[in-house]
């Protein structure tokens, strides 16, 4: 999956502004957390694609050095572990936007402070 820029929905952009004020995190970090939150919920299935009326991110700004990892996780969740029918890049980008949109919506309800973001991360048991 290759892209240089990705535009998210207007609704997600509005919610990111509010989340930034409440948590102090930048929109790109909030999008990463939102993406992982949504991927954890499972595939999008037949949800309508969000609009592209919001903020635009450069690929590296959005995913940093972890772009390949996010793409692999997206493929695994959306295509399944067997990937018998790989999705075309354009469809994967639509689903990436959809996951960010869904995840930002989830975060906007769950995260009222920086401490709420930390609660989203499961604790590791000592080895």
């Amino acid at each position: 999956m290759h892209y240089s820029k990705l535009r998210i929905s207007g609704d997600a952009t509005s919610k990111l502004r509010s989340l930034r004020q409440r948590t102090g995190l930048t929109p790109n970090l909030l999008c990463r957390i939102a993406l992982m939150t949504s991927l954890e919920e499972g595939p999008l299935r037949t949800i309508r694609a969000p609009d592209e009326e919001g903020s635009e991110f450069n690929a590296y700004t959005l995913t940093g050095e972890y772009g390949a990892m996010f793409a692999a996780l997206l493929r695994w969740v959306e295509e399944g572990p067997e990937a018998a029918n790989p999705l075309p890049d354009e469809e994967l980008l639509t689903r990436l936007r959809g996951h960010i949109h869904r995840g930002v919506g989830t975060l906007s309800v769950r995260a009222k402070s920086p401490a709420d973001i930390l609660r989203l991360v499961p604790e590791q048991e000592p080895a």
Side-chain angles (χ1 to χ4, degrees):
M1 176 177 77
H2 179 73
Y3 64 100
S4 59
K5 295 182 184 286
L6 185 81
R7 188 173 290 279
I8 63 172
S9 70
D11 183 50
T13 299
S14 174
K15 288 177 180 173
L16 282 173
R17 278 190 209 106
S18 176
L19 281 165
R20 182 178 187 162
Q21 290 174 344
R22 289 186 289 193
T23 65
L25 296 174
T26 60
N28 61 316
L29 292 177
L30 289 165
C31 282
R32 292 177 196 185
I33 294 167
L35 175 58
M36 295 305 293
T37 300
S38 180
L39 289 174
E40 191 172 48
E41 292 177 27
L44 293 175
R45 308 226 186 271
T46 58
I47 118 171
R48 188 173 58 88
D51 65 64
E52 294 183 57
E53 313 261 326
S55 297
E56 183 176 76
F57 292 92
N58 289 324
Y60 190 81
T61 301
L62 185 61
T63 59
E65 61 196 63
Y66 305 108
M69 180 198 68
F70 284 117
L73 288 170
L74 177 65
R75 280 194 182 279
W76 191 83
V77 168
E78 290 296 328
E79 297 172 350
E82 300 298 318
N85 297 317
L87 295 169
D89 279 359
E90 192 60 38
E91 179 61 23
L92 277 173
L93 288 174
T94 298
R95 293 192 190 196
L96 174 63
R97 288 184 12 273
H99 276 289
I100 291 171
H101 180 82
R102 179 170 77 174
V104 167
T106 300
L107 285 180
S108 71
V109 172
R110 291 185 185 173
K112 304 298 181 198
S113 70
D116 293 334
I117 296 290
L118 288 175
R119 287 186 193 99
L120 294 172
V121 180
E123 288 188 34
Q124 297 274 329
E125 294 200 21

